[in-house]
Amino acid sequence: MQPIRGFRDLLQNDFKTFSEIKTICETIAKLYGYEGIELPIVESLDVFKRTLGDVSDVVNKEMFTLTDRHGEILALRPEATASVVRALISNKLTQDLPQKFFYQGPMFRYERPQKGRYRQFYQFGIEAFGEKDPYIDAEIILLAHRILEDLGVKGFKFEINTIGDVASRKAYNDALIKYLTPQKNELSQDSQERLLRNPLRILDSKDMQDQKILMNAPKFEGYLNEESKAFFESVCGYLDAFDVTYHVNSRLVRGLDYYTHTVFEFTHEDLGAQSAFLAGGRYDGLVSTMGGPDIPGIGFAMGIDRVMFLSEVGDVNAPVIVIPFSDDCLAYAMDVCETLRDNGVMCEVSFKGKLSKDLKYAEKRQAEYALLIGENEVEASTVTLKFLGSDEGNQTKSVGEILDFLAL
Ligand code: HAM
């Protein structure tokens, strides 16, 4: 039995890293005033179709869809921003702004699996609604940096760009089509298709020939209206004030359709081809596209699977292993364990009937200490502390003394 392609189990050390990353992200999001939201994994296909873009790769090629018994087409969520907007509208929160949410959980995209790219992957994300001012763009970028610092992620690159408001974006889109159409046949197959469906995405192409053609392509800057320019300057001004290092990449456009103004991506070269591990931006038109009022929004999502390759977290304390020597000592050993747990000490009983086997198990669990319990210990209400990582001799102690010792 094997999991299906692109799906995997997370266990042992991976699980520890995974859950600690989630805890750290959540703690920091709360520091900034974000509240948790748990969303359904399945939504009506419409939630994603128009919002992410009918012609985006995510909708066009990568959706996991299913039809329910009444013929409604459902989708496993490929991302959560559209779901959060759906929740904002269906829970009637649009009159009670601002609203700031964090979420985490599995997302599904039918992509070709490779290192750091899975068909079921996990995101931690935040979304803020109702803030028009560029300070919030800068603040969520600070939030992302704080998360990365606490996760011990170093050596990343942070790129930012503006794609302006809807009018600027449309003007640039038209200019790009005008420039590329006469050279259509020289573009890669992928870019030829994108020229019809989603020309901005051609800017992302890694193909050498495409890159050459793009060198003389019109630049976004030339098509931004004054308002969009001023907005971006303000975001960058805040980042300067907080000493955030950033690279303005005028080719950064993102693969989802809902963005306006600020877009950004964090990348790391150790990740290889799938180098983006945290990405997001502003999406001022999304709530109204989905039938709500005209409310600005901004957020990001971090790919937990990718951050697991970069983060230093995950080493939780090893348990104390409590070893009873016989059946008669088992109840007392369990009682000692419960007392340790009452005091927050992680511990396990190991009762394999042979000390060497119990010690082997303790080694596997990377335990530093074992507590040995024979009849003498039961009688005297003590335990014998054995140091597993050093030559120090055994010591007999009361449970209270053990707690003091472990607290040091
Ligand atoms: P996204 O760029 O599509 O944005 O995904 C965000 C992150 O999810 C990526 O940078 C990557 O780390 C991770 N990711 C995406 N696909 C995969 C995959 N197949 N396997 C592993 N990791 C993957 C969004 O999803 C937007 N909703 C972000 C956002 C939130 N924008 C505004 N608010």
Side-chain angles (χ1 to χ4, degrees), residues 6 8 52 58 62 78-82 103 107-128 140 254-256 258-259 262 264-267 271 274-283 286 297-307:
R8 74 205 200 284
L52 311 193
V58 172
E62 297 168 6
E79 60 108 56
T81 309
Y103 55 85
M107 312 289 156
F108 303 85
R109 295 184 193 175
Y110 201 92
E111 295 188 85
R112 196 169 50 77
Q114 62 183 90
K115 180 189 168 191
R117 187 159 75 188
Y118 311 97
R119 289 183 175 168
Q120 175 173 335
F121 60 98
Y122 296 84
Q123 286 184 346
F124 171 84
I126 62 147
E127 313 290 349
I140 71 159
R254 310 272 303 120
L256 307 165
Y258 49 60
Y259 292 108
T262 317
F264 57 86
E265 244 171 43
F266 290 72
T267 54
L271 293 172
Q274 303 306 314
S275 62
F277 63 89
L278 189 156
R282 188 169 268 281
Y283 46 85
L286 182 56
I298 182 162
F300 68 71
M302 187 185 93
I304 300 178
D305 313 71
R306 293 184 191 171
V307 168

Side-chain angles (χ1 to χ4, degrees), residues 50-102:
R50 222 154 41 91
T51 51
L52 311 193
D54 275 341
V55 292
S56 67
D57 283 352
V58 172
V59 168
N60 220 28
K61 302 186 188 158
E62 297 168 6
M63 292 293 266
F64 275 93
T65 52
L66 52 135
T67 308
D68 75 5
R69 287 165 194 241
H70 299 287
E72 192 185 349
I73 304 180
L74 310 176
L76 299 191
R77 62 181 183 192
E79 60 108 56
T81 309
S83 304
V84 178
V85 174
R86 196 272 308 136
L88 187 82
I89 297 170
S90 46
N91 291 288
K92 302 188 176 55
L93 299 174
T94 54
Q95 302 300 319
D96 183 17
L97 298 173
Q99 291 287 342
K100 302 196 285 181
F101 296 110
F102 69 81

Side-chain angles (χ1 to χ4, degrees), residues 146-214:
R146 194 184 284 267
I147 286 180
L148 298 180
E149 188 175 340
D150 278 22
L151 293 176
V153 176
K154 299 190 182 83
F156 56 81
K157 187 169 180 190
F158 169 52
E159 294 183 310
I160 187 165
N161 190 26
T162 177
I163 52 173
D165 57 12
V166 175
S168 307
R169 185 169 152 162
K170 165 114 185 38
Y172 180 65
N173 212 43
D174 293 348
L176 198 60
I177 294 175
K178 202 164 160 207
Y179 169 79
L180 291 173
T181 305
Q183 314 177 66
K184 183 176 173 223
N185 295 338
E186 285 135 66
L187 289 170
S188 66
Q189 198 55 43
D190 255 5
S191 293
Q192 289 192 22
E193 279 168 32
R194 283 183 170 151
L195 185 59
L196 300 173
R197 295 189 282 117
N198 199 356
L200 283 186
R201 289 287 284 161
I202 297 176
L203 299 178
D204 265 356
S205 170
K206 307 267 185 298
D207 183 273
M208 294 297 276
Q209 176 65 11
D210 289 353
Q211 296 262 357
K212 219 161 119 196
I213 294 174
L214 287 170

Side-chain angles (χ1 to χ4, degrees), residues 20-21 24-25 28 31-32 140-156 242-244 266 268 277-278 300 302 307 310-313:
E20 202 167 331
I21 289 174
I24 289 172
C25 291
I28 292 173
L31 267 185
Y32 282 77
I140 71 159
I141 290 167
L142 292 177
L143 195 170
H145 276 83
R146 194 184 284 267
I147 286 180
L148 298 180
E149 188 175 340
D150 278 22
L151 293 176
V153 176
K154 299 190 182 83
F156 56 81
F242 284 92
D243 281 337
V244 175
F266 290 72
H268 202 296
F277 63 89
L278 189 156
F300 68 71
M302 187 185 93
V307 168
L310 307 172
S311 167
E312 285 170 358
V313 304

